[in-house]
Amino acid sequence: GYLPEHTLAAKAMAYAQGAHFIEQDLVMTQDDQVIVLHDHHLDTVTDVREVFPGRARADGRFYVVDFTLAELRQLAVSERFRLSGGKKTAVFERRFPLEKSSFRVNTFVEEIELIQGLNKATGRSVGIYPEIKSPAFHRREGKDISAAVLQILKAYGYDQQQDSVFLQCFDAYELQRIHGELLPAMQMTVPLVQLLGTEPEYKAALTPDGMKRVASYADGIGPSMRLIVAPDSVAGNLQVTRLVELARDAGLLVHPYTFRRDRLPGYAASYAELLAIFLDDIGVDGVFTDFPDLTVEYLESNL
């Protein structure tokens, strides 16, 4: 919420603000490096159009997988923006200004080493929460991103259920593959989290039988907050779904996303009120947030 997302500067600030876990969105480069970036496209978070103008695909998009790590290092990373008529407009208007200061693409390894280094220096044990982005797309490009991510996790000591890690993905097929094939082959037992969006393909999971199926391969769910409280709810009259209850019955943790001070739903008058609804009234296990300082402050003042 304060620095361009997925930069090392943002992660260091989140760490200093007391985050318990820090998220990494993961994609792969042409030369098989795993990097941290919001999406497998470059054109809404970097200046790739200016630096490599001829490298777009037929759809006009610039793909991480078409660039080497050395090429990606030449790009400036910024907050997410929209492009209209050649003009960039920030998605989050009140956040760090576009095209100011200097931020670069970093690798998953570099971020792990930053967090582990800070853990050593501070005596804390902040965990990591990597997300495998677009595994089916990567497979079509000849990249097994899941295997690459697991190899890095194992090399850095994140390989057992009790380690400070959650591995998440929206793709149920890929999580089942990780659970049934990759983890046993690598003698790993890291906790898996099924992300759930509001799109129709996730509807089947939002039933008692669907939750049981998820529980057969995952340890938790990461649903959009809209799947827990209907977005057209109003203050004093919340439409709370049965999702958390169903997840509990199936033995699953619940970590909804994304809690943002500058994107409050209509039923919450303040960020603290939004946290109170989900953490206290509904009782989720944790939240994904762009504002760890406000969230930690809330938790510490309401223990």
Side-chain angles (χ1 to χ4, degrees):
Y2 303 104
L3 286 158
E5 64 183 336
H6 292 303
T7 60
L8 289 182
K11 304 310 175 72
M13 188 167 188
Y15 189 105
Q17 290 179 335
H20 303 144
F21 283 80
I22 296 177
E23 183 187 39
Q24 301 81 31
D25 288 350
L26 302 177
V27 294
M28 282 190 90
T29 68
Q30 189 180 75
D31 51 347
D32 297 327
Q33 298 298 304
V34 179
I35 67 159
V36 185
L37 205 71
H38 175 66
D39 198 358
H40 62 286
H41 300 116
L42 290 159
D43 33 289
T44 58
V45 289
T46 73
D47 60 350
V48 65
R49 277 190 179 83
E50 292 81 18
V51 180
F52 296 105
R55 299 280 290 276
R57 291 196 180 186
D59 61 2
R61 306 298 304 269
F62 294 78
Y63 289 77
V64 173
V65 76
D66 293 333
F67 295 82
T68 65
L69 178 60
E71 289 174 326
L72 294 171
R73 298 283 203 201
Q74 300 174 47
L75 303 178
V77 176
S78 69
E79 278 283 355
R80 269 186 264 172
F81 57 83
R82 302 182 190 89
L83 198 63
S84 179
K87 186 176 181 340
K88 294 179 182 178
T89 309
V91 170
F92 300 100
E93 301 88 352
R94 288 178 280 166
R95 298 193 183 182
F96 201 93
L98 300 178
E99 298 176 334
K100 300 291 184 184
S101 194
S102 176
F103 305 98
R104 293 287 177 265
V105 167
N106 58 275
T107 67
F108 185 32
V109 164
E110 287 166 340
E111 183 160 328
I112 288 176
E113 290 182 351
L114 173 73
I115 293 167
Q116 290 191 345
L118 286 168
N119 280 343
K120 182 179 179 185
T122 64
R124 294 173 63 202
S125 58
V126 172
I128 62 172
Y129 210 130
E131 178 186 348
I132 294 171
K133 302 288 282 195
S134 309
F137 166 81
H138 282 94
R139 268 199 306 281
R140 290 194 296 273
E141 298 291 325
K143 310 285 187 192
D144 190 344
I145 185 171
S146 297
V149 168
L150 289 173
Q151 285 162 7
I152 293 169
L153 289 176
K154 191 173 180 72
Y156 279 87
Y158 302 99
D159 57 2
Q160 299 304 311
Q161 186 79 24
Q162 68 272 17
D163 293 330
S164 292
V165 60
F166 289 99
L167 181 60
Q168 58 177 332
C169 190
F170 277 101
D171 187 325
Y173 168 84
E174 194 68 11
L175 279 177
Q176 289 165 32
R177 175 177 171 252
I178 291 168
H179 174 266
E181 299 174 25
L182 299 183
L183 290 182
M186 297 181 69
Q187 297 182 304
M188 297 173 68
T189 58
V190 296
L192 303 178
V193 172
Q194 173 69 64
L195 294 171
L196 298 171
T198 55
E199 298 84 359
E201 62 259 37
Y202 297 104
K203 273 195 175 169
L206 312 178
T207 64
D209 286 344
M211 278 293 115
K212 285 176 191 160
R213 277 196 299 275
V214 171
S216 71
Y217 62 84
D219 303 271
I221 58 171
S224 163
M225 66 168 73
R226 291 165 162 256
L227 295 174
I228 296 175
V229 178
D232 57 354
S233 294
V234 294
N237 185 22
L238 299 183
Q239 301 172 52
V240 181
T241 71
R242 293 186 60 216
L243 182 58
V244 173
E245 176 192 338
L246 295 177
R248 289 268 178 276
D249 290 346
L252 293 163
L253 294 166
V254 183
H255 299 157
Y257 66 87
T258 301
F259 287 66
R260 298 180 170 117
R261 178 182 64 184
D262 50 0
R263 286 287 193 279
L264 291 177
Y267 55 81
S270 68
Y271 185 71
E273 185 178 338
L274 181 64
L275 291 176
I277 289 167
F278 280 85
L279 291 168
D280 302 336
D281 301 343
I282 296 172
V284 300
D285 300 290
V287 297
F288 287 94
T289 179
D290 288 352
F291 298 92
D293 54 338
L294 303 180
T295 311
V296 169
E297 180 186 324
Y298 178 86
L299 289 169
E300 290 180 348
S301 63
N302 287 275
L303 286 177

Coordinates of all heavy atoms in Angstrom, one line a residue, residues 71-148:
E71 N 17.4 -9.1 -19.2 CA 16.5 -8.0 -19.8 C 15.5 -7.4 -18.8 O 15.3 -6.2 -18.8 CB 15.8 -8.7 -21.0 CG 16.7 -9.0 -22.2 CD 16.0 -9.8 -23.2 OE1 15.0 -10.6 -22.9 OE2 16.3 -9.6 -24.4
L72 N 14.9 -8.3 -18.0 CA 14.0 -7.7 -17.0 C 14.6 -6.8 -16.0 O 13.9 -5.9 -15.6 CB 13.3 -8.9 -16.3 CG 12.4 -9.8 -17.2 CD1 12.0 -11.0 -16.4 CD2 11.2 -9.1 -17.7
R73 N 15.9 -7.0 -15.8 CA 16.6 -6.1 -14.8 C 16.7 -4.7 -15.4 O 16.9 -3.7 -14.6 CB 18.0 -6.6 -14.6 CG 18.1 -8.0 -13.9 CD 17.8 -8.0 -12.4 NE 18.4 -9.1 -11.8 CZ 18.0 -9.6 -10.6 NH1 17.1 -9.0 -9.9 NH2 18.6 -10.6 -10.1
Q74 N 16.5 -4.5 -16.7 CA 16.6 -3.2 -17.3 C 15.3 -2.4 -17.1 O 15.3 -1.2 -17.4 CB 16.9 -3.4 -18.8 CG 18.3 -4.1 -19.1 CD 18.4 -4.3 -20.6 OE1 18.3 -3.4 -21.4 NE2 18.8 -5.5 -20.9
L75 N 14.3 -3.0 -16.7 CA 13.0 -2.4 -16.6 C 12.8 -1.7 -15.2 O 13.3 -2.1 -14.2 CB 11.8 -3.4 -16.8 CG 11.9 -4.2 -18.0 CD1 10.7 -5.2 -18.0 CD2 11.8 -3.3 -19.3
A76 N 12.1 -0.6 -15.3 CA 11.6 0.1 -14.0 C 10.3 -0.4 -13.6 O 9.4 -0.5 -14.5 CB 11.6 1.6 -14.2
V77 N 10.1 -0.8 -12.4 CA 8.9 -1.3 -11.9 C 8.1 -0.2 -11.2 O 8.7 0.6 -10.5 CB 9.1 -2.5 -10.9 CG1 7.8 -3.0 -10.2 CG2 9.8 -3.7 -11.6
S78 N 6.8 -0.2 -11.3 CA 6.0 0.8 -10.7 C 4.7 0.2 -10.1 O 4.5 -1.0 -10.3 CB 5.6 1.9 -11.7 OG 4.7 1.4 -12.7
E79 N 3.9 1.1 -9.5 CA 2.6 0.7 -9.1 C 1.8 0.3 -10.4 O 2.1 0.7 -11.5 CB 1.9 1.8 -8.4 CG 2.2 2.0 -6.9 CD 1.5 0.9 -6.1 OE1 0.7 0.1 -6.6 OE2 1.8 0.9 -4.9
R80 N 0.8 -0.5 -10.2 CA -0.1 -0.9 -11.3 C -0.7 0.3 -12.0 O -1.1 1.3 -11.3 CB -1.2 -1.8 -10.9 CG -0.8 -3.3 -11.0 CD -2.0 -4.2 -10.7 NE -2.0 -4.6 -9.3 CZ -3.0 -5.2 -8.7 NH1 -4.1 -5.5 -9.4 NH2 -3.0 -5.5 -7.4
F81 N -0.8 0.3 -13.3 CA -1.4 1.4 -14.0 C -2.2 0.9 -15.2 O -2.1 -0.2 -15.6 CB -0.3 2.4 -14.5 CG 0.7 1.8 -15.4 CD1 0.4 1.6 -16.8 CD2 1.9 1.4 -14.9 CE1 1.4 1.1 -17.6 CE2 2.9 0.9 -15.8 CZ 2.6 0.7 -17.1
R82 N -3.2 1.8 -15.6 CA -3.9 1.5 -16.9 C -3.3 2.4 -17.9 O -2.8 3.5 -17.7 CB -5.4 1.9 -16.7 CG -6.1 1.1 -15.5 CD -7.6 1.5 -15.5 NE -8.2 1.0 -14.3 CZ -8.2 1.7 -13.1 NH1 -7.7 2.9 -13.0 NH2 -8.8 1.1 -12.0
L83 N -3.4 2.0 -19.2 CA -2.9 2.8 -20.3 C -4.0 3.1 -21.2 O -4.8 2.2 -21.7 CB -1.8 1.9 -21.0 CG -0.9 2.7 -22.0 CD1 -0.1 3.7 -21.2 CD2 0.0 1.8 -22.7
S84 N -4.2 4.4 -21.4 CA -5.3 4.8 -22.3 C -4.8 6.0 -23.1 O -4.4 7.0 -22.6 CB -6.5 5.3 -21.5 OG -7.6 5.7 -22.3
G85 N -4.8 5.8 -24.5 CA -4.3 6.9 -25.3 C -2.9 7.3 -25.1 O -2.5 8.4 -25.2
G86 N -2.1 6.2 -24.7 CA -0.7 6.5 -24.4 C -0.4 7.1 -23.1 O 0.8 7.3 -22.7
K87 N -1.4 7.3 -22.3 CA -1.3 8.0 -21.0 C -1.5 6.9 -19.9 O -2.4 6.1 -19.9 CB -2.3 9.1 -20.8 CG -2.2 9.9 -19.6 CD -3.2 11.1 -19.6 CE -3.2 12.0 -18.5 NZ -2.7 11.7 -17.2
K88 N -0.6 6.9 -18.9 CA -0.6 6.0 -17.7 C -1.4 6.6 -16.6 O -1.2 7.8 -16.2 CB 0.8 5.7 -17.2 CG 1.6 4.9 -18.2 CD 3.0 4.7 -17.7 CE 3.9 3.9 -18.7 NZ 5.3 3.7 -18.1
T89 N -2.4 5.9 -16.1 CA -3.2 6.3 -14.9 C -3.0 5.2 -13.8 O -3.3 4.0 -14.1 CB -4.7 6.4 -15.3 OG1 -4.8 7.3 -16.4 CG2 -5.4 7.1 -14.1
A90 N -2.7 5.6 -12.6 CA -2.5 4.7 -11.5 C -3.8 4.0 -11.2 O -4.8 4.6 -11.1 CB -1.9 5.4 -10.3
V91 N -3.7 2.7 -10.9 CA -4.9 1.9 -10.5 C -5.3 2.4 -9.1 O -6.5 2.5 -8.7 CB -4.6 0.4 -10.5 CG1 -5.7 -0.4 -9.8 CG2 -4.5 0.0 -12.0
F92 N -4.3 2.6 -8.2 CA -4.5 3.1 -6.9 C -4.0 4.5 -6.8 O -2.8 4.8 -6.6 CB -3.8 2.2 -5.8 CG -4.3 0.8 -5.9 CD1 -3.5 -0.2 -6.5 CD2 -5.4 0.4 -5.2 CE1 -3.9 -1.5 -6.6 CE2 -5.9 -0.9 -5.3 CZ -5.1 -1.9 -5.9
E93 N -4.9 5.5 -7.0 CA -4.5 6.9 -7.2 C -3.7 7.5 -6.0 O -2.8 8.3 -6.2 CB -5.7 7.7 -7.4 CG -6.6 7.3 -8.6 CD -7.6 6.3 -8.3 OE1 -7.6 5.8 -7.1 OE2 -8.4 5.9 -9.1
R94 N -3.9 7.0 -4.8 CA -3.3 7.7 -3.6 C -2.0 7.0 -3.2 O -1.5 7.3 -2.1 CB -4.3 7.7 -2.5 CG -5.5 8.7 -2.7 CD -6.4 8.7 -1.5 NE -7.4 7.6 -1.7 CZ -8.2 7.2 -0.7 NH1 -8.1 7.7 0.5 NH2 -9.0 6.2 -0.9
R95 N -1.6 6.1 -4.0 CA -0.4 5.3 -3.6 C 0.9 5.9 -4.2 O 0.8 7.0 -4.8 CB -0.5 3.8 -3.9 CG -1.7 3.2 -3.2 CD -1.6 1.7 -3.3 NE -2.8 1.1 -2.6 CZ -3.0 -0.2 -2.5 NH1 -2.1 -1.1 -3.0 NH2 -4.0 -0.7 -1.9
F96 N 2.0 5.2 -4.1 CA 3.3 5.8 -4.6 C 3.2 6.2 -6.0 O 2.7 5.5 -6.9 CB 4.4 4.7 -4.5 CG 5.8 5.2 -4.4 CD1 6.4 5.5 -3.2 CD2 6.5 5.4 -5.6 CE1 7.7 6.0 -3.2 CE2 7.7 6.0 -5.6 CZ 8.4 6.2 -4.4
P97 N 3.7 7.4 -6.3 CA 3.5 8.0 -7.7 C 4.2 7.2 -8.8 O 5.3 6.6 -8.5 CB 4.0 9.4 -7.6 CG 4.9 9.4 -6.4 CD 4.3 8.4 -5.4
L98 N 3.6 7.2 -9.9 CA 4.2 6.4 -11.1 C 5.5 7.1 -11.5 O 5.7 8.4 -11.4 CB 3.3 6.4 -12.3 CG 1.9 5.7 -12.0 CD1 1.1 5.8 -13.3 CD2 2.1 4.2 -11.6
E99 N 6.5 6.3 -12.0 CA 7.7 6.8 -12.6 C 8.5 7.7 -11.7 O 9.2 8.7 -12.1 CB 7.4 7.5 -13.9 CG 6.8 6.5 -14.9 CD 6.3 7.2 -16.2 OE1 6.1 8.4 -16.2 OE2 6.2 6.5 -17.2
K100 N 8.5 7.4 -10.4 CA 9.3 8.1 -9.4 C 10.2 7.1 -8.7 O 9.9 6.0 -8.5 CB 8.5 8.9 -8.4 CG 7.5 9.9 -8.9 CD 8.3 11.1 -9.5 CE 7.3 12.2 -10.0 NZ 8.0 13.3 -10.6
S101 N 11.4 7.6 -8.3 CA 12.4 6.8 -7.7 C 12.8 5.6 -8.6 O 12.7 5.7 -9.8 CB 11.9 6.3 -6.3 OG 12.9 5.7 -5.5
S102 N 13.4 4.5 -8.0 CA 13.9 3.4 -8.8 C 13.6 2.1 -8.2 O 14.0 1.8 -7.1 CB 15.4 3.6 -8.9 OG 16.0 2.5 -9.6
F103 N 12.8 1.3 -8.9 CA 12.5 0.0 -8.4 C 12.7 -1.0 -9.5 O 12.5 -0.7 -10.7 CB 11.0 -0.1 -8.0 CG 10.7 1.0 -6.9 CD1 10.1 2.2 -7.3 CD2 10.9 0.7 -5.6 CE1 9.8 3.1 -6.4 CE2 10.6 1.7 -4.6 CZ 10.1 2.9 -5.0
R104 N 13.1 -2.2 -9.2 CA 13.5 -3.2 -10.2 C 12.9 -4.6 -9.9 O 12.4 -4.9 -8.8 CB 15.1 -3.4 -10.2 CG 15.8 -2.2 -10.7 CD 15.7 -2.0 -12.2 NE 16.3 -0.8 -12.7 CZ 15.8 0.3 -12.9 NH1 14.5 0.5 -12.6 NH2 16.4 1.4 -13.4
V105 N 12.8 -5.4 -10.9 CA 12.4 -6.8 -10.8 C 13.3 -7.6 -9.9 O 14.6 -7.4 -10.0 CB 12.3 -7.5 -12.2 CG1 12.1 -9.0 -12.0 CG2 11.1 -6.9 -13.0
N106 N 12.8 -8.4 -9.0 CA 13.7 -9.3 -8.2 C 13.2 -10.7 -8.3 O 12.1 -11.0 -8.7 CB 13.7 -8.8 -6.7 CG 12.3 -8.8 -6.1 OD1 11.5 -7.9 -6.2 ND2 11.9 -9.9 -5.4
T107 N 14.1 -11.6 -8.0 CA 13.8 -13.0 -8.1 C 13.3 -13.5 -6.7 O 13.4 -12.9 -5.7 CB 15.1 -13.9 -8.4 OG1 16.0 -13.8 -7.2 CG2 15.8 -13.4 -9.6
F108 N 12.6 -14.7 -6.8 CA 12.1 -15.3 -5.6 C 13.2 -15.6 -4.6 O 13.0 -15.4 -3.4 CB 11.4 -16.6 -6.0 CG 10.7 -17.4 -5.0 CD1 10.1 -16.7 -3.9 CD2 10.5 -18.8 -5.0 CE1 9.4 -17.4 -2.9 CE2 9.8 -19.5 -4.0 CZ 9.3 -18.8 -3.0
V109 N 14.3 -16.1 -5.1 CA 15.5 -16.4 -4.2 C 15.9 -15.1 -3.5 O 16.2 -15.2 -2.3 CB 16.6 -17.0 -5.1 CG1 18.0 -16.9 -4.3 CG2 16.3 -18.5 -5.4
E110 N 16.0 -14.0 -4.2 CA 16.4 -12.8 -3.6 C 15.5 -12.4 -2.5 O 15.9 -11.9 -1.4 CB 16.6 -11.7 -4.6 CG 17.8 -11.8 -5.5 CD 17.7 -10.9 -6.8 OE1 16.6 -10.5 -7.1 OE2 18.8 -10.7 -7.4
E111 N 14.2 -12.5 -2.7 CA 13.2 -12.2 -1.7 C 13.3 -13.1 -0.5 O 13.2 -12.6 0.7 CB 11.8 -12.1 -2.3 CG 10.8 -11.6 -1.2 CD 9.5 -11.1 -1.8 OE1 9.5 -10.5 -2.9 OE2 8.5 -11.3 -1.1
I112 N 13.4 -14.4 -0.7 CA 13.6 -15.3 0.4 C 14.8 -14.9 1.2 O 14.7 -14.9 2.5 CB 13.7 -16.8 -0.1 CG1 12.4 -17.3 -0.6 CG2 14.2 -17.7 1.0 CD1 12.4 -18.7 -1.2
E113 N 15.9 -14.6 0.5 CA 17.1 -14.3 1.3 C 17.0 -13.0 2.1 O 17.5 -12.8 3.1 CB 18.3 -14.2 0.3 CG 18.7 -15.6 -0.2 CD 19.9 -15.6 -1.2 OE1 20.3 -14.5 -1.6 OE2 20.4 -16.7 -1.5
L114 N 16.2 -12.0 1.5 CA 15.9 -10.8 2.3 C 15.1 -11.1 3.5 O 15.5 -10.7 4.6 CB 15.1 -9.8 1.4 CG 14.6 -8.6 2.1 CD1 15.7 -7.6 2.4 CD2 13.5 -7.9 1.4
I115 N 14.0 -11.9 3.4 CA 13.2 -12.2 4.6 C 14.0 -13.1 5.6 O 13.9 -12.8 6.8 CB 11.9 -12.9 4.1 CG1 11.1 -11.9 3.3 CG2 11.1 -13.5 5.3 CD1 9.9 -12.6 2.5
Q116 N 14.7 -14.1 5.1 CA 15.5 -14.9 6.0 C 16.6 -14.1 6.7 O 16.9 -14.3 7.9 CB 16.1 -16.1 5.3 CG 15.0 -17.1 4.9 CD 15.6 -18.4 4.5 OE1 16.8 -18.6 4.2 NE2 14.7 -19.5 4.4
G117 N 17.2 -13.2 5.9 CA 18.2 -12.3 6.5 C 17.6 -11.4 7.6 O 18.2 -11.2 8.7
L118 N 16.4 -10.8 7.4 CA 15.8 -10.0 8.4 C 15.4 -10.8 9.6 O 15.4 -10.4 10.7 CB 14.6 -9.3 7.7 CG 14.9 -8.2 6.8 CD1 13.6 -7.7 6.0 CD2 15.4 -7.0 7.6
N119 N 14.9 -12.1 9.3 CA 14.6 -13.0 10.5 C 15.8 -13.2 11.4 O 15.8 -13.1 12.6 CB 14.1 -14.3 9.9 CG 12.6 -14.3 9.5 OD1 11.9 -13.3 9.9 ND2 12.2 -15.2 8.8
K120 N 17.0 -13.4 10.7 CA 18.2 -13.6 11.5 C 18.6 -12.3 12.3 O 19.0 -12.3 13.4 CB 19.4 -14.0 10.6 CG 20.7 -14.2 11.4 CD 21.8 -14.7 10.5 CE 23.0 -14.9 11.3 NZ 24.2 -15.2 10.5
A121 N 18.5 -11.2 11.6 CA 18.9 -9.9 12.2 C 17.9 -9.4 13.3 O 18.4 -8.7 14.2 CB 19.0 -8.8 11.1
T122 N 16.7 -9.8 13.2 CA 15.7 -9.3 14.2 C 15.3 -10.3 15.2 O 14.7 -10.0 16.3 CB 14.4 -8.8 13.5 OG1 13.8 -10.0 12.9 CG2 14.7 -7.8 12.4
G123 N 15.5 -11.6 14.9 CA 15.1 -12.7 15.8 C 13.6 -13.1 15.6 O 13.1 -13.9 16.4
R124 N 13.0 -12.5 14.6 CA 11.6 -12.8 14.3 C 11.6 -14.0 13.4 O 12.6 -14.5 12.9 CB 10.9 -11.6 13.6 CG 10.7 -10.4 14.6 CD 10.1 -9.2 13.8 NE 8.8 -9.5 13.3 CZ 8.2 -8.9 12.3 NH1 8.9 -7.9 11.6 NH2 7.0 -9.2 11.9
S125 N 10.4 -14.6 13.1 CA 10.2 -15.7 12.2 C 9.1 -15.4 11.2 O 8.1 -16.1 11.2 CB 10.0 -17.0 12.9 OG 8.9 -16.9 13.7
V126 N 9.2 -14.4 10.4 CA 8.2 -14.0 9.4 C 8.2 -15.1 8.3 O 9.3 -15.5 7.8 CB 8.5 -12.6 8.9 CG1 7.6 -12.3 7.7 CG2 8.3 -11.6 10.0
G127 N 7.0 -15.5 7.9 CA 6.9 -16.6 6.9 C 6.8 -16.0 5.5 O 6.7 -14.8 5.3
I128 N 6.7 -16.9 4.6 CA 6.5 -16.6 3.2 C 5.2 -17.2 2.7 O 4.8 -18.3 3.2 CB 7.7 -16.9 2.3 CG1 7.9 -18.5 2.3 CG2 8.9 -16.2 2.7 CD1 8.9 -18.9 1.2
Y129 N 4.6 -16.6 1.7 CA 3.3 -17.1 1.2 C 3.2 -17.0 -0.3 O 2.5 -16.1 -0.9 CB 2.2 -16.2 1.8 CG 0.8 -16.9 2.0 CD1 0.2 -16.8 3.3 CD2 0.2 -17.6 1.0 CE1 -1.1 -17.3 3.5 CE2 -1.1 -18.1 1.2 CZ -1.7 -18.0 2.5 OH -2.9 -18.6 2.7
P130 N 4.1 -17.8 -1.0 CA 4.2 -17.7 -2.5 C 2.9 -18.2 -3.2 O 2.2 -19.1 -2.8 CB 5.4 -18.6 -2.8 CG 5.5 -19.6 -1.6 CD 5.0 -18.8 -0.4
E131 N 2.7 -17.5 -4.3 CA 1.6 -17.9 -5.2 C 2.1 -18.2 -6.6 O 2.8 -17.5 -7.2 CB 0.5 -16.7 -5.4 CG -0.6 -17.1 -6.3 CD -1.6 -16.0 -6.6 OE1 -1.5 -15.0 -6.0 OE2 -2.4 -16.2 -7.6
I132 N 1.8 -19.4 -7.0 CA 2.1 -19.9 -8.4 C 1.1 -19.3 -9.3 O -0.1 -19.6 -9.3 CB 2.1 -21.4 -8.5 CG1 3.3 -22.0 -7.6 CG2 2.3 -21.8 -9.9 CD1 3.2 -23.5 -7.5
K133 N 1.5 -18.4 -10.2 CA 0.7 -17.6 -11.1 C 0.6 -18.4 -12.5 O 1.6 -18.8 -13.0 CB 1.2 -16.2 -11.4 CG 1.3 -15.4 -10.1 CD 0.0 -14.9 -9.5 CE -0.6 -13.8 -10.3 NZ -1.7 -13.2 -9.5
S134 N -0.6 -18.5 -12.9 CA -0.9 -19.0 -14.3 C -0.1 -20.3 -14.7 O 0.6 -20.3 -15.7 CB -0.6 -17.9 -15.3 OG -1.2 -16.7 -14.9
P135 N -0.2 -21.3 -13.9 CA 0.6 -22.6 -14.2 C 0.2 -23.2 -15.6 O 1.1 -23.7 -16.3 CB 0.2 -23.5 -13.1 CG -1.1 -23.0 -12.5 CD -1.0 -21.5 -12.7
A136 N -1.0 -23.1 -16.0 CA -1.4 -23.7 -17.3 C -0.8 -22.9 -18.4 O -0.3 -23.5 -19.4 CB -2.9 -23.7 -17.5
F137 N -0.7 -21.6 -18.3 CA 0.0 -20.7 -19.3 C 1.4 -21.1 -19.3 O 2.0 -21.3 -20.4 CB -0.1 -19.3 -19.0 CG 0.8 -18.4 -19.7 CD1 0.5 -18.0 -21.0 CD2 2.0 -18.0 -19.2 CE1 1.4 -17.2 -21.7 CE2 2.9 -17.2 -19.9 CZ 2.6 -16.8 -21.2
H138 N 2.1 -21.3 -18.2 CA 3.5 -21.6 -18.2 C 3.7 -23.0 -18.8 O 4.7 -23.2 -19.5 CB 4.0 -21.6 -16.7 CG 4.3 -20.2 -16.2 ND1 3.4 -19.5 -15.5 CD2 5.4 -19.4 -16.3 CE1 3.9 -18.3 -15.2 NE2 5.1 -18.3 -15.7
R139 N 2.8 -24.0 -18.5 CA 3.0 -25.3 -19.1 C 2.9 -25.2 -20.7 O 3.7 -25.9 -21.4 CB 1.9 -26.2 -18.6 CG 2.2 -27.0 -17.4 CD 1.3 -28.3 -17.3 NE -0.1 -27.9 -17.2 CZ -0.7 -27.4 -16.2 NH1 -0.1 -27.2 -15.1 NH2 -2.0 -27.1 -16.2
R140 N 2.0 -24.4 -21.2 CA 1.9 -24.2 -22.6 C 3.2 -23.6 -23.2 O 3.6 -23.8 -24.4 CB 0.7 -23.3 -23.0 CG -0.6 -24.0 -22.8 CD -1.7 -23.2 -23.5 NE -1.9 -21.9 -23.0 CZ -2.7 -21.6 -21.9 NH1 -3.3 -22.5 -21.2 NH2 -2.8 -20.3 -21.5
E141 N 3.9 -22.9 -22.4 CA 5.2 -22.3 -22.8 C 6.4 -23.2 -22.5 O 7.5 -22.8 -22.7 CB 5.4 -20.9 -22.1 CG 4.3 -19.9 -22.4 CD 4.4 -19.4 -23.8 OE1 5.5 -19.3 -24.3 OE2 3.3 -19.1 -24.4
G142 N 6.1 -24.4 -22.1 CA 7.2 -25.4 -21.8 C 7.9 -25.2 -20.4 O 9.0 -25.7 -20.2
K143 N 7.2 -24.5 -19.5 CA 7.8 -24.2 -18.2 C 7.0 -24.9 -17.1 O 5.8 -24.7 -17.0 CB 7.8 -22.7 -17.9 CG 8.3 -21.8 -19.0 CD 9.9 -21.9 -19.0 CE 10.4 -20.9 -20.0 NZ 11.9 -21.2 -20.3
D144 N 7.6 -25.7 -16.3 CA 7.0 -26.3 -15.1 C 7.3 -25.4 -13.9 O 8.2 -25.7 -13.1 CB 7.5 -27.7 -14.9 CG 6.7 -28.5 -13.8 OD1 5.9 -27.8 -13.1 OD2 6.8 -29.7 -13.7
I145 N 6.5 -24.4 -13.7 CA 6.8 -23.4 -12.7 C 6.6 -24.0 -11.3 O 7.3 -23.7 -10.4 CB 5.9 -22.1 -12.9 CG1 6.3 -21.1 -11.8 CG2 4.4 -22.5 -12.8 CD1 5.6 -19.7 -12.0
S146 N 5.7 -24.9 -11.1 CA 5.4 -25.5 -9.8 C 6.7 -26.3 -9.3 O 7.1 -26.2 -8.2 CB 4.2 -26.4 -9.8 OG 3.1 -25.7 -10.1
A147 N 7.3 -27.1 -10.2 CA 8.5 -27.8 -9.9 C 9.6 -26.9 -9.5 O 10.3 -27.1 -8.5 CB 8.9 -28.8 -11.0
A148 N 9.7 -25.8 -10.3 CA 10.8 -24.9 -10.0 C 10.6 -24.2 -8.7 O 11.6 -24.0 -7.9 CB 10.8 -23.8 -11.2

